[in-house]
Amino acid sequence: MLFSNFPFSKALLKAISEKNYTTPTAIQKKVIPLVLESNDVMAKAQTGSGKSASFVLPLLELLAQKKSKDTFKKPRIRILVLTPTRELTLQIAQDFDSFSRFQTKPVKTVSLIGGENIGQQLFDIQQGCDVLVATSGRFIDILSKKQTNLTHIEFLVLDEADKMLDLGFAQELQSVLDSLPTKRQNLLFSATYPQKMIQIAKRIT
Ligand code: AMP
């Protein structure tokens, strides 16, 4: 199977080929069609399996297909990705940027990581973005400022969710979920599924 077998736009296929990806990895083969069909997905995935592209690619496709409903000039946050680490956050944000770069309107991505000026990050969000990629800790800080409009979020991705649980995210998860629209597509990636994770999966997918 090749990436060109997926119903992706020409612009997306061009970006994939420029990255020298030809064959989808096992997780990409399974997850991409499910996401494109608007399912909630819970996947067992290790780092290095190609899991980032398994959600970045179909979400970019869905975003381009489902044009934003409002005609507001500034982009609104439609995708929220939470991760446990700054490295993963930056890598995923870069994937959204590079894979969308041949689209007529490439997505605007903001990444939020700890240790950087929170005022500047709030400003960046308020300037408008389609995709917000954040470490779970910094996202909770941003949430507490109550200055971010999350009402347009259509897709929630929890990546390396077991590692976020290790950082105490289970208690904070409810306030994250409460801040998002209830109608949304949820994607959960975790290398392990302890009992606690299964409960979380039941709550969100
Ligand atoms: P990830 O597990 O998402 O962190 O991906 C691990 C590495 O594999 C990254 O450097 C990706 O750019 C690369 N990668 C992901 N999918 C593919 C693919 N289908 N073909 C070639 N490289 C890939």
Side-chain angles (χ1 to χ4, degrees):
M1 177 185 199
L2 301 170
F3 276 103
S4 51
N5 296 117
F6 289 123
F8 286 153
S9 68
K10 277 192 185 147
L12 188 53
L13 287 173
K14 185 174 177 197
I16 293 168
S17 125
E18 294 251 327
K19 277 240 192 182
N20 294 323
Y21 289 17
T22 47
T23 323
T25 64
I27 187 156
Q28 290 163 0
K29 275 187 207 153
K30 282 192 181 165
V31 169
I32 290 173
L34 291 172
V35 178
L36 287 174
E37 285 163 15
S38 300
N39 294 290
D40 278 357
V41 174
M42 172 177 141
K44 194 167 182 183
Q46 312 286 340
T47 312
S49 59
K51 67 178 163 51
S52 308
S54 82
F55 62 85
V56 171
L57 298 174
L59 288 182
L60 282 173
E61 186 62 40
L62 289 180
L63 216 60
Q65 283 172 13
K66 296 168 65 189
K67 293 266 180 283
S68 177
K69 283 190 201 97
D70 65 72
T71 50
F72 197 64
K73 287 221 179 77
K74 271 193 213 170
R76 314 272 199 145
I77 308 165
R78 297 173 67 196
I79 300 179
L80 171 66
V81 183
L82 297 181
T83 93
T85 64
R86 49 187 295 145
E87 294 74 21
L88 191 56
T89 296
L90 296 174
Q91 186 220 309
I92 293 169
Q94 202 197 13
D95 281 346
F96 274 106
D97 288 340
S98 64
F99 282 120
S100 76
R101 73 186 197 280
F102 296 115
Q103 290 179 357
T104 326
K105 237 180 124 197
V107 294
K108 179 137 190 281
T109 308
V110 166
S111 46
L112 304 176
I113 51 180
E116 298 205 350
N117 186 294
I118 198 160
Q120 179 63 43
Q121 292 179 339
L122 281 167
F123 178 76
D124 291 345
I125 297 171
Q126 281 154 8
Q127 294 302 99
C129 63
D130 307 280
V131 184
L132 192 60
V133 189
T135 59
S136 48
R138 182 44 64 108
F139 184 71
I140 297 292
D141 295 341
I142 291 279
L143 211 53
S144 68
K145 304 279 179 209
K146 297 191 186 339
Q147 289 177 36
T148 306
N149 182 354
L150 302 170
T151 58
H152 296 268
I153 288 180
E154 297 164 51
F155 308 95
L156 169 68
V157 183
L158 299 182
D159 195 11
E160 301 201 352
D162 49 353
K163 291 197 190 141
M164 287 197 277
L165 280 192
D166 293 343
L167 300 171
F169 185 60
Q171 285 118 19
E172 292 154 340
L173 178 65
Q174 195 54 49
S175 57
V176 171
L177 297 180
D178 289 346
S179 70
L180 305 179
T182 47
K183 191 172 173 291
R184 52 168 205 267
Q185 188 177 353
N186 303 287
L187 311 178
L188 175 71
F189 294 85
S190 186
T192 59
Y193 277 87
Q195 194 53 38
K196 222 174 175 182
M197 180 61 65
I198 292 169
Q199 282 161 10
I200 287 181
K202 280 190 186 147
R203 267 160 68 197
I204 71 153
T205 58

